Amino acid sequence: MRAGQLRYKIEFLTVSEGQDATGGVSEVETHLSYAMAEIKPVSGNEKFIANQVFPEATSQIRCRYVAGITTKHKIKFGGRYFDILNVQNKDERGIELYIVVKELF
């Protein structure tokens, strides 16, 4: 893996449910780790549901190995958030991760 291709700093987040000040349930994000990554768009789509347009974008993120990353985590890049759809440890060597994500709008 060439370091020059890993030009974006991403943040892995653990998301859990917590209680807000009004007693309602809200998501609480906790920092897990940072990594330098390569982000490549894979597909883009728009869904039309109940007279509303919902954009959907899928990307592939490649980064150095970070232990314990699963589909239960999220990724933050700048002001953008991504749901993790799939995580692959390339060749099961603990060197590199390939992560398929869906951007949250």
Side-chain angles (χ1 to χ4, degrees):
M1 176 186 321
R2 297 183 63 179
Q5 295 172 333
L6 308 179
R7 61 181 64 136
Y8 303 111
K9 186 175 183 178
I10 62 172
E11 180 180 7
F12 291 100
L13 303 171
T14 301
V15 180
S16 58
E17 289 187 356
Q19 201 168 26
D20 60 17
T22 62
V25 177
S26 64
E27 285 188 349
V28 177
E29 298 172 351
T30 308
H31 167 78
L32 181 64
S33 178
Y34 287 107
M36 296 305 292
E38 174 185 48
I39 302 172
K40 289 186 179 179
V42 175
S43 69
N45 218 351
E46 287 184 345
K47 293 183 179 181
F48 189 73
I49 302 171
N51 294 327
Q52 293 183 346
V53 177
F54 293 95
E56 187 175 274
T58 305
S59 300
Q60 181 180 33
I61 295 176
R62 184 173 67 99
C63 67
R64 297 196 190 283
Y65 182 78
V66 177
I69 300 299
T70 68
T71 56
K72 295 180 182 178
H73 297 99
K74 290 190 184 204
I75 293 176
K76 181 180 178 186
F77 169 60
R80 300 163 61 189
Y81 288 86
F82 299 90
D83 269 340
I84 297 176
L85 303 177
N86 187 16
V87 179
Q88 295 179 351
N89 178 3
K90 186 179 178 198
D91 299 329
E92 299 299 323
R93 295 178 60 203
I95 296 172
E96 188 173 14
L97 291 178
Y98 283 91
I99 307 168
V100 177
V101 296
K102 180 173 75 171
E103 187 166 3
L104 302 172
F105 291 98

